[in-house]
Structures are given as C-alpha cells and as structure tokens.
Amino acid sequence: AQKVTQAQTEISVVEKEDVTLDCVYETRDTTYYLFWYKQPPSGELVFLIRRNSFDEQNEISGRYSWNFQKSTSSFNFTITASQVVDSAVYFCALRALYGGSQGNLIFGKGTKLSVKP
Amino acid sequence: EAQVTQNPRYLITVTGKKLTVTCSQNMNHEYMSWYRQDPGLGLRQIYYSMNVEVTDKGDVPEGYKVSRKEKRNFPLILESPSPNQTSLYFCASRPAGNEQFFGPGTRLTVL
C-alpha cells in the first residue's frame, strides 16, 4: 500500500527564518513520482515540484529546496528566509510511474505553515 | 489559456437531491481525477480516468459516480447526496507521466 506522512500538522515561524517541512512515504513500487503542492489561503492548488524515484539529486529553486533521500523514504522541503507570502498549506504526494496504480495520486494530510511578520 | 474548469464553484443542496459537478480541461490530457478535501484528512482521490471510457475507483468512491465520454470532460455525479459528502472538491488533469493541473475547486454543502 502507498502512504504519505506529513508529521507536522502546523508550523509557525517568524519572517526570515528557515523552515523545513517533512515528508515520509511508503510504497512497494520501485518507480514512482513524488510531488509538493502549495495551497494558499485562496484555496487553489499550486504545483511546486515533481521528482522521480530515479533521480535523488537535490533541487533548489530560489528560496525553495528539496531533499530526496530514498534510503529513508523522505522528500523534505525547505524554505529559506521565509516570507509572509509563504503562509499556506503544503502537501506532499506520491504516485506510481507504471501499472494500475499510476492513476492514483496519494496525498499527505498537509502541513499548515504560518509565517508571521 | 490552459486550464481546468469546474462548475459550480459553490453549491448548497439538500440530502437526496441528485447533482452533477462538471469538470472540463482544454489541454488534451489523458488522465483526469476527482479529489475531495476535508479538514485533517488532506486530499483523497474519489475516481480517476486514464482515457475516454476508462475509469477506476480511487480511495473514497462510495456515493459517487463518474463518466468519461469525451476526453475533455469528467463530470462527478452524486446520485443521492448526504451530509457527509459536504466537502471541497477538486478536479485535476494531467498528460501521461506529468504532474496534475488542478481546477479551482467546488465547495459543496449538503444539508
């Protein structure tokens, strides 16, 4: 069975602090995708990143960075120098690359990040 | 503009009154899905479709129906809505091998 765990339900930081959102996953598939999505207070879901299981390179995009470690089944997301606009709910998600379960995107329960000025 | 549209965006209805939430995408994507989002539970997949006339159950399909007669449309049907189907619903589409594009959401209240 597939499962995504985001153990942090809510995090509150002060602007300019760095913050890491944890994501741990379980899957029997050998090939899979991992995703992060952002849901700001306005409610839409915004795609942030996709990683496939072949590629364990960390990625940086501006103030955002992602650390994928297959050995610990983790795909953590770090925001450097957080800003108020980063306040949102962040979801980690998992999907198989092949097979019958490739249509099924499994989400974690989300981490609500509040960045205070 | 490439997008996924859902209608209606907000709906208040009563128990047992059949309703349909429409979803349409203009990107020629093969895959389409429906999710519901509930506080503390995150997003859970209701149904998905890998192409026209091909649909399959997600994690929480009870009480819902879908159809995929055309590639661009994937309506969600609640034959007899109940209060526990009060939720925020998202439709999504994607091409093979890529990330999902989500619609703006439909907030449904069943009284």
Side-chain angles (χ1 to χ4, degrees), chain A residues 46-59:
Chain A
V46 178
F47 166 77
L48 294 177
I49 189 170
R50 180 190 73 205
R51 212 87 192 122
N52 73 50
S53 53
F54 301 135
D55 184 0
E56 287 194 67
Q57 269 194 326
N58 292 331
E59 179 150 345

Side-chain angles (χ1 to χ4, degrees), chain A residues 9 34 97:
Chain A
T9 308
L34 293 162
L97 249 74

